């Protein structure tokens, strides 16, 4: 399958539905792609843009044909009818937006369509949002706006109401493994892929965190069994390593989250890990923001992972089922 944009892993349902809408000429002019960062929403937006701008019809299964003049221009990043802006830190200004919208209001140079991909749209300023709204309200025919955002609650209701919304979920562990393997990260284990929590945002520190993974996993198992001696030693060692504390807590949270997800069939184990996940968030806050003795808070966290405490947790309002549901939503 030839494509003018990067290969995409995951999100098959949304991508197929988008192609179908485009093929049937039923694609709305304004779309909003949302979901946690690092899952490839922007790539899907660029793939759709390539489909819309490709000169070869009918549409291929993914992206453009890869060989026409439009696809060649897309690949080199010079297609005159594609406008991409990013509103993150040091991103596009209101003037940049105004300029892009002005160009979008002109006639297409080739193929008869124009596309705007507005990344990190939830960071757009109020002034910017108002300017954008005018364009969304009066779209020119064959002009498409694709907004990409992690936190849609930061977008004004007026913008939200103009856009058809598409949600993109976390990547699955096999999908993350596939992407990492393609990037040349050889021998990526399932555990290391699980560490990403379905997002490739913090991928650069994955190697460092993968080294901590086995240690953290075996300590959590010991804690679950109630092995006080191993738990005490780990808390001491981790608590005294100030520079590695943030990474360690990050891995701890991912490992506890994985334990929770994989114990969905076992109510009492799920109760323990759901409670531990809550505690892990408190631990991060206490140890990193409030500078409470890290060894003590780690000890408390690991102690709370003991299966023996299960009775106590099952009677607390943060029941495992509630948290599991929240994780799966
Ligand atoms: Zn093409």
């Amino acid at each position: 399958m030839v494509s003018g944009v990067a290969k995409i892993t995951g999100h098959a349902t949304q991508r197929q539905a988008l192609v179908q809408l485009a093929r049937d000429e039923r694609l709305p002019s304004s779309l909003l792609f949302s979901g946690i960062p690092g899952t490839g929403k922007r790539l899907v937006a660029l793939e759709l843009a390539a489909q819309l701008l490709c000169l070869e019809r009918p549409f291929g299964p993914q992206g453009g044909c890869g060989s026409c003049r439009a696809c060649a221009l897309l690949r080199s990043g010079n297609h005159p009818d594609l406008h991409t802006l990013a509103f993150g830190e040091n991103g596009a200004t209101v003037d940049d937006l105004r300029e892009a919208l002005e160009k979008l209001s002109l006639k297409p140079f080739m193929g008869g369509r124009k596309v705007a991909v507005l990344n990190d749209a939830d960071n757009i300023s109020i002034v910017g949002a108002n300017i954008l709204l005018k364009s969304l309200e009066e779209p020119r025919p064959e002009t498409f706006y694709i907004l990409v955002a992690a936190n849609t609650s930061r977008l004004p209701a007026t913008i939200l109401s103009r856009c058809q919304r598409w949600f993109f979920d976390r990547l699955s562990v096999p999908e993350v493994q596939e992407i990492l393997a393609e990037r040349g990260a050889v021998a990526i284990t399932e555990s290391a892929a699980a560490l990403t929590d379905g997002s490739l945002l913090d991928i650069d520190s994955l190697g460092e965190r993968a080294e901590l993974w086995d240690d953290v996993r075996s300590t959590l198992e010991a804690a679950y069994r109630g092995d006080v001696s191993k738990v005490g030693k780990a808390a001491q060692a981790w608590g005294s390593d100030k520079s590695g504390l943030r990474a360690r807590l990050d891995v701890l949270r991912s490992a506890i989250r994985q334990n929770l997800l994989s114990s969905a069939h076992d109510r009492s184990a799920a109760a323990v890990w759901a409670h531990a996940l809550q505690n892990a968030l408190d631990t991060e806050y206490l140890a990193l923001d409030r500078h409470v003795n890290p060894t003590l808070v780690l000890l408390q966290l690991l102690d709370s992972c003991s299966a023996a405490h299960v009775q106590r947790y099952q009677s607390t309002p943060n029941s495992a089922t509630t948290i599991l549901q929240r994780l799966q939503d």
Side-chain angles (χ1 to χ4, degrees):
M1 159 184 352
V2 194
S3 164
V5 288
K7 181 180 178 299
I8 300 174
T9 303
H11 313 306
T13 314
Q14 294 92 327
R15 290 162 61 207
Q16 274 161 17
L18 286 163
V19 176
Q20 198 56 51
L21 284 172
R23 200 176 275 162
D24 299 347
E25 310 273 335
R26 288 190 296 120
L27 195 70
S29 63
S30 307
L31 302 163
L32 169 60
F33 290 1
S34 71
I36 62 161
T39 59
K41 298 183 295 297
R42 188 182 59 92
L43 293 180
V44 177
L46 291 174
E47 179 183 61
L48 180 61
Q51 269 157 6
L52 292 167
L53 297 173
C54 173
L55 300 173
E56 290 295 323
R57 307 283 164 80
F59 293 106
Q62 278 174 21
C65 72
S67 48
C68 71
R69 204 156 69 85
C71 285
L73 284 168
L74 277 171
R75 218 173 11 246
S76 64
N78 292 318
H79 197 296
D81 295 321
L82 174 67
H83 299 273
T84 55
L85 291 180
F87 294 91
E89 215 174 309
N90 303 321
T93 62
V94 168
D95 285 339
D96 295 333
L97 177 65
R98 213 176 257 130
E99 193 187 323
L101 294 175
E102 215 157 285
K103 285 182 185 159
L104 281 157
S105 72
L106 304 172
K107 266 196 172 153
F109 284 90
M110 51 199 299
R113 288 181 167 148
K114 289 177 104 69
V115 182
V117 174
L118 307 176
N119 203 34
D120 296 325
D122 41 349
N123 285 316
I124 202 166
S125 67
I126 296 174
V127 179
N130 283 328
I131 296 171
L132 175 63
L133 184 62
K134 276 201 197 107
S135 298
L136 299 186
E137 280 172 342
E138 292 159 21
R140 284 180 54 86
E142 301 299 316
T143 301
F144 298 89
Y145 299 86
I146 310 172
L147 282 65
V148 180
N151 187 357
T152 54
S153 64
R154 287 168 59 185
L155 280 164
T158 44
I159 297 261
L160 292 175
S161 70
R162 304 301 313 184
C163 298
Q164 186 182 73
R165 291 163 79 166
W166 292 74
F167 178 70
F168 292 80
D169 207 350
R170 288 171 194 275
L171 297 165
S172 69
V173 170
E175 284 164 358
V176 172
Q177 272 181 288
E178 190 185 325
I179 295 169
L180 292 177
E182 266 158 23
R183 291 188 183 184
V186 281
I188 288 294
T189 61
E190 194 179 318
S191 326
L195 251 179
T196 62
D197 264 357
S199 158
L200 297 175
L201 191 65
D202 296 323
I203 209 70
D204 292 342
S205 66
L206 185 65
E208 182 199 337
R209 285 180 293 148
E211 283 170 22
L212 305 175
W213 180 258
D214 290 339
D215 184 23
V216 165
R217 284 296 286 255
S218 69
T219 306
L220 283 178
E221 273 165 36
Y224 189 74
R225 289 194 311 269
D227 182 341
V228 181
S229 144
K230 178 154 185 179
V231 160
K233 279 185 200 140
Q236 192 104 49
W238 299 353
S240 54
D241 174 22
K242 291 267 179 347
S243 62
L245 190 60
R246 185 175 290 278
R248 182 82 62 173
L249 288 171
D250 200 36
V251 175
L252 254 170
R253 181 168 25 78
S254 298
I256 291 173
R257 189 170 181 279
Q258 283 302 314
N259 284 356
L260 172 57
L261 288 171
S262 61
S263 60
H265 57 280
D266 177 349
R267 275 185 62 89
S268 58
V272 170
W273 296 120
H275 192 82
L277 188 59
Q278 289 277 312
N279 278 348
L281 299 173
D282 290 346
T283 304
E284 284 182 10
Y285 169 71
L286 288 171
L288 298 173
D289 295 343
R290 304 302 299 266
H291 305 291
V292 176
N293 182 339
T295 299
L296 285 181
V297 287
L298 281 164
L299 204 53
Q300 203 165 26
L301 171 64
L302 291 172
D303 182 51
S304 79
C305 298
S306 159
H309 292 326
V310 69
Q311 296 278 316
R312 182 147 53 91
Y313 303 151
Q314 274 174 339
S315 60
T316 62
N318 281 323
S319 78
T321 19
T322 322
I323 296 178
L324 267 175
Q325 259 164 9
R326 210 182 303 157
L327 283 173
Q328 284 160 353
D329 275 349

